Amino acid sequence: MEEQPAYFVKSVEKAFDVLLAFTPETPRLTVSQVAAGADMTRASARRFLLTLADLGYVRADGPYFELTPRCLDIGRSFLANQTLPGVAESHLKSLAAALNETTSLCILDGPDVVYVACVPSPRLLSVSVRVGTRFPAWATSMGRVLLAALSEPELQEYFDSVQLERFTERSIGSVDQLRAEIDSARAKGWSMVSQELEEGLRGVAVPVRSGRDVVAAVNVSLQTHRAPAESIEKTVLPLLREAALQIGNDYGGRHSGALRSGSRR
């Protein structure tokens, strides 16, 4: 195990290990379960839990412990200054640099997708979009993954009101075709739209999740002559998914599988 610096207070690390053992999937834990999740002995887990209970951060309910609302105080100041575009910016920059392409973050607003963050390609010739740009959701990869996250009643309401038009010869021409594309995006977890909005332009998008909720979509805009469609799933999609995961994590949706350091104490 890597040696910690002299100032390092191990009891602080252990206390956070105990708090992080509680997840959305396991909100109520016994002492033994906390010990296993925090990688410590049962006796140590019990002492930390009782101390945290005295401080008001956990409460006991029979053999179970659970977090209290006071835990929200730890992150309140940080979260108060965080916006989704602000959280996403550094990840979009890294993705744009890795792919040498334009990257964006979009949300669904009525029938449209709206760009809320955008990092242009490092190349001189790049796709020209800016924050606030709107496109019909049905015609974009971002829109299709966001529509795929809607409930069936919400999606049906969208289908009942959507107005399709031919931007190019490749644009979808019917609601049935659109439903099939949205169903495919839901099943795969990503969407690719090629030259349906503009000739020579291909978009690839994946959802950004905060916990179980889809809060946005991350997109890469590609010129068709630079990125063959058949290679995108191997070359672009893994990086795009990783960026979306990191944005979601930083926005407050970190999953319980986050790595912990250290060994049994």
Side-chain angles (χ1 to χ4, degrees):
M1 178 179 175
E2 184 178 347
E3 185 176 346
Q4 300 291 356
Y7 63 79
F8 195 84
V9 181
K10 292 191 68 65
S11 59
V12 174
E13 181 187 25
K14 291 180 180 180
F16 277 100
D17 282 344
V18 168
L19 291 172
L20 290 171
F22 297 89
T23 72
E25 293 76 26
T26 57
R28 287 163 51 84
L29 298 172
T30 64
V31 172
S32 295
Q33 289 171 325
V34 170
D39 194 18
M40 61 177 62
T41 66
R42 189 180 184 281
S44 293
R46 181 176 180 276
R47 289 197 300 272
F48 277 100
L49 284 167
L50 293 177
T51 301
L52 289 167
D54 287 346
L55 294 172
Y57 290 100
V58 302
R59 59 172 164 249
D61 181 14
Y64 292 95
F65 288 84
E66 57 189 6
L67 302 181
T68 71
R70 187 168 187 182
C71 289
L72 296 174
D73 292 343
I74 296 173
R76 183 169 295 162
S77 296
F78 173 78
L79 291 175
N81 295 306
Q82 294 302 297
T83 65
L84 182 56
V87 167
E89 184 176 3
S90 63
H91 300 294
L92 293 178
K93 286 180 177 178
S94 296
L95 184 61
L99 295 174
N100 206 26
E101 300 290 356
T102 297
T103 61
S104 307
L105 184 79
C106 294
I107 61 172
L108 191 64
D109 183 29
D112 300 328
V113 290
V114 181
Y115 286 75
V116 295
C118 183
V119 175
S121 164
R123 294 182 291 111
L124 291 178
L125 295 177
S126 62
V127 179
S128 179
V129 293
R130 63 186 65 182
V131 172
T133 296
R134 288 175 174 265
F135 290 122
W138 64 267
T140 67
S141 58
M142 307 87 75
R144 291 178 190 176
V145 296
L146 292 170
L147 290 170
L150 296 180
S151 67
E152 185 56 35
E154 291 172 323
L155 190 56
Q156 187 57 55
E157 183 178 352
Y158 173 82
F159 288 141
D160 291 341
S161 62
V162 68
Q163 296 182 347
L164 305 180
E165 59 181 292
R166 289 282 187 179
F167 291 105
T168 74
E169 292 182 355
R170 297 174 178 82
S171 297
I172 277 181
S174 72
V175 171
D176 286 342
Q177 285 180 299
L178 177 59
R179 179 181 280 278
E181 289 293 329
I182 292 172
D183 288 345
S184 175
R186 184 185 299 112
K188 296 188 303 181
W190 63 286
S191 175
M192 179 169 64
V193 173
S194 295
Q195 304 188 85
E196 293 189 37
L197 188 62
E198 183 179 336
E199 293 287 354
L201 183 64
R202 177 178 293 126
V204 188
V206 299
V208 175
R209 299 180 185 276
S210 179
R212 297 181 180 180
D213 298 325
V214 173
V215 295
V218 176
N219 164 260
V220 175
S221 298
L222 307 156
Q223 294 172 339
T224 52
H225 71 275
R226 283 179 52 82
E230 55 272 13
S231 70
I232 284 176
E233 191 167 356
K234 292 183 179 180
T235 60
V236 174
L237 190 59
L239 295 176
L240 190 58
R241 281 177 163 159
E242 180 61 23
L245 177 64
Q246 294 303 324
I247 293 169
N249 284 348
D250 288 354
Y251 192 56
R254 187 173 298 275
H255 298 290
S256 59
L259 293 177
R260 303 181 192 278
S261 61
S263 58
R264 181 171 295 275
R265 298 165 177 84

